[in-house]
C-alpha cells in the first residue's frame, strides 16, 4: 500500500510541476531573453482591424487630436502574437497605444521616447512604477478617462526631452528599442516570479527522475 501512496504522491508532484512549467516557462524566457520579442508592423491606419471593445476609447483619442497610425504585433518566444493599435499626437510628441488586456478589457497607454535614450510611459491600468531620473518613467493610473491620463502623461514629460519620429514606422521602432534597451529592466521585474516558478518546477521534475534512479 505504501508503494501506491508514494507513487500517487510522486505523480501529483510531477503533475503540479508540469502545470507550473506550462503556466510560467514563457515568462522565464521573457525574463532571460527580452530582446527576442519580435515587434512588426501589421496594418496602416486606414486598414486597422480595430476590435469593437476599443472603438469608444479610439474615438476619445481622436477627439483629443490623436491621429491613427496603424497596428503592430508583438510576439515573445513560443507565444502567440498580440496586437496593438497605435495613434500619435505629433504636436505634443506622444504616442497612444490601445490593446486588449488578458481578460479582453480595453487598455490604453501613452508613450514618449526621450533623447538621448529613454521613455516616459503612462498606462491607464495597473503598472508598477519605475523611475530612472532623466531616462525612464513608467507607471499607471487605474480607471481614469483618456483625457485625464493624457494630461498626467504631459505633466510627467516636464524636465525631459522628447524625441523620435511620430509616424507608424517611428512607433514600431520605438517598440523594438524598448525591448532592446531600458524596457528590459521593467520586463525582468514583472517576470521574475515566472522565472522562479519555472526553476522550482524543473527542480521538482529533476528530483522525481533522479530520485527514482537512486532508488
Amino acid at each position: 500500500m505504501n508503494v501506491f501512496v508514494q507513487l500517487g504522491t510522486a505523480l501529483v508532484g510531477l503533475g503540479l510541476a508540469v502545470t507550473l512549467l506550462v503556466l510560467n516557462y514563457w515568462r522565464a524566457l521573457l525574463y532571460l531573453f527580452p530582446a527576442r520579442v519580435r515587434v512588426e508592423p501589421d496594418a496602416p491606419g486606414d486598414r486597422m482591424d480595430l476590435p469593437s471593445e476599443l472603438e469608444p476609447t479610439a474615438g476619445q483619442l481622436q477627439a483629443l487630436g490623436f491621429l491613427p497610425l496603424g497596428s503592430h504585433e508583438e510576439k515573445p518566444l513560443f507565444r502567440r502574437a498580440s496586437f496593438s493599435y497605435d495613434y500619435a499626437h505629433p504636436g505634443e510628441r506622444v504616442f497612444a497605444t490601445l490593446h486588449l488586456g488578458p481578460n479582453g478589457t480595453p487598455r490604453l497607454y501613452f508613450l514618449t521616447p526621450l533623447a538621448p535614450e529613454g521613455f516616459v510611459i503612462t498606462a491607464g491600468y495597473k503598472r508598477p512604477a519605475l523611475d530612472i531620473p532623466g531616462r525612464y518613467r513608467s507607471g499607471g493610473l487605474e480607471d481614469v478617462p483618456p483625457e485625464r491620463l493624457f494630461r498626467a502623461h504631459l505633466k510627467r514629460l516636464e524636465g525631459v526631452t522628447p524625441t523620435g519620429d511620430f509616424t507608424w514606422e517611428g512607433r514600431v521602432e520605438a517598440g523594438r528599442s524598448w525591448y532592446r534597451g531600458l524596457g528590459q529592466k521593467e520586463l525582468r521585474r514583472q517576470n521574475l516570479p515566472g522565472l522562479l516558478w519555472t526553476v522550482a518546477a524543473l527542480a521538482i521534475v529533476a528530483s522525481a527522475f533522479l530520485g527514482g534512479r537512486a532508488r
Side-chain angles (χ1 to χ4, degrees), residues 34-42 72-75 109 111 113 117 119 168-184 187:
R36 296 288 299 276
V37 175
R38 194 184 74 219
V39 180
E40 298 292 343
D42 175 54
H72 74 270
E73 67 174 36
E74 300 183 9
K75 188 180 184 309
Y109 66 89
L111 179 148
E117 178 190 18
F119 294 94
W168 186 29
E169 293 80 4
R171 176 62 184 87
V172 171
E173 181 52 38
R176 292 169 177 165
S177 178
W178 188 83
Y179 282 109
R180 291 194 304 260
L182 289 170
Q184 294 187 13
L187 276 176

Side-chain angles (χ1 to χ4, degrees), residues 139-174:
L141 295 172
E142 296 183 76
D143 303 320
V144 300
E147 182 180 4
R148 181 181 167 192
L149 192 68
F150 183 38
R151 290 200 306 267
H153 183 78
L154 294 178
K155 181 74 174 175
R156 298 174 74 227
L157 289 177
E158 295 176 0
V160 294
T161 305
T163 189
D165 175 17
F166 288 84
T167 62
W168 186 29
E169 293 80 4
R171 176 62 184 87
V172 171
E173 181 52 38

Side-chain angles (χ1 to χ4, degrees), residues 70-196:
S71 55
H72 74 270
E73 67 174 36
E74 300 183 9
K75 188 180 184 309
L77 290 171
F78 303 111
R79 293 285 289 178
R80 293 176 58 186
S82 61
F83 291 88
S84 297
Y85 306 88
D86 302 313
Y87 297 75
H89 197 307
E92 297 289 0
R93 313 197 79 178
V94 177
F95 290 114
T97 294
L98 293 169
H99 64 103
L100 294 175
N103 299 319
T105 54
R107 284 187 166 185
L108 164 67
Y109 66 89
F110 295 108
L111 179 148
T112 297
L114 303 179
E117 178 190 18
F119 294 94
V120 173
I121 302 171
T122 309
Y125 48 89
K126 187 176 181 179
R127 184 177 183 131
L130 179 61
D131 191 354
I132 303 174
R135 300 181 65 203
Y136 196 86
R137 293 175 183 168
S138 176
L141 295 172
E142 296 183 76
D143 303 320
V144 300
E147 182 180 4
R148 181 181 167 192
L149 192 68
F150 183 38
R151 290 200 306 267
H153 183 78
L154 294 178
K155 181 74 174 175
R156 298 174 74 227
L157 289 177
E158 295 176 0
V160 294
T161 305
T163 189
D165 175 17
F166 288 84
T167 62
W168 186 29
E169 293 80 4
R171 176 62 184 87
V172 171
E173 181 52 38
R176 292 169 177 165
S177 178
W178 188 83
Y179 282 109
R180 291 194 304 260
L182 289 170
Q184 294 187 13
K185 184 178 182 68
E186 186 172 349
L187 276 176
R188 287 191 165 120
R189 175 185 287 186
Q190 292 171 356
N191 291 285
L192 178 59
L195 175 68
L196 297 177

